[in-house]
Amino acid sequence: VRSRRQRQMCIRDSGSTKQLPLVTLDKSSTNTETVSPLSHQQQRLWFLYQLDPSAPTYNMAEQLQWDGALNAQALKESFLQIVERHAILRSTYSNLNGVSSQTVHPLGPNSLSFEEEHLEELSSDEVEAQYDDFINRPFDLTTGPLIRVRISHERKRTIVLFCIHHIATDGWSTGILFPVSYTHLRAHET
């Protein structure tokens, strides 16, 4: 009897069962580039992306309303810490020698797309259109980044939006990103 973990690590290949290679990354090092094969879920999303790279179907967005002053630089630093900690957010995708692969890149200036907009003069419809454009802008999985953050200053509030491609996250992980970024933000403000 195999454990669930053992069953997940095996695949059917022409009637025989073969072990998938386990790839471990050195989590302490973000200075090197690492190439590894895709998981089955990543293969599916990579395939769908290649069919229509301009489709925003797998963009996952969250919004937070912020009351009071927001230190944009501290927020950016908090998201950069998250990107540094999670290699999947620094990954790009390609086909190398016929094999779908992901490349984890070192943390760099293009690891995070960060925008700050002042929308105080726009109508509520124009603001909504700006948000829709941000959320529906396609990601380029071949060049990255796979995460973007936007601070929008409105008349009476500040909105923090972030969007991640589903190949790099799931609903559960996305749901904990704001609390983690908030913790980092508070640490940067002190």
Side-chain angles (χ1 to χ4, degrees), residues 99-135:
V99 177
S100 299
S101 303
Q102 73 177 0
T103 303
V104 177
H105 301 277
L107 186 67
N110 296 324
S111 298
L112 172 69
S113 172
F114 190 85
E115 307 168 12
E116 186 173 9
E117 298 282 334
H118 291 272
L119 308 176
E120 296 90 350
E121 304 301 318
L122 299 180
S123 71
S124 60
D125 288 342
E126 291 170 319
V127 169
E128 282 301 315
Q130 290 275 330
Y131 293 161
D132 287 344
D133 288 345
F134 176 82
I135 291 166

Side-chain angles (χ1 to χ4, degrees), residues 148-184:
R148 58 179 170 254
V149 179
R150 180 180 189 172
I151 300 174
S152 297
H153 301 281
E154 297 180 12
R155 287 187 184 112
K156 297 181 181 179
R157 64 184 185 168
T158 299
I159 299 295
V160 178
L161 289 166
F162 74 86
C163 192
I164 305 174
H165 194 279
H166 187 42
I167 202 166
T169 191
D170 56 21
W172 182 85
S173 299
T174 303
I176 64 168
L177 191 57
F178 264 132
V180 170
S181 64
Y182 179 78
T183 301
H184 289 302

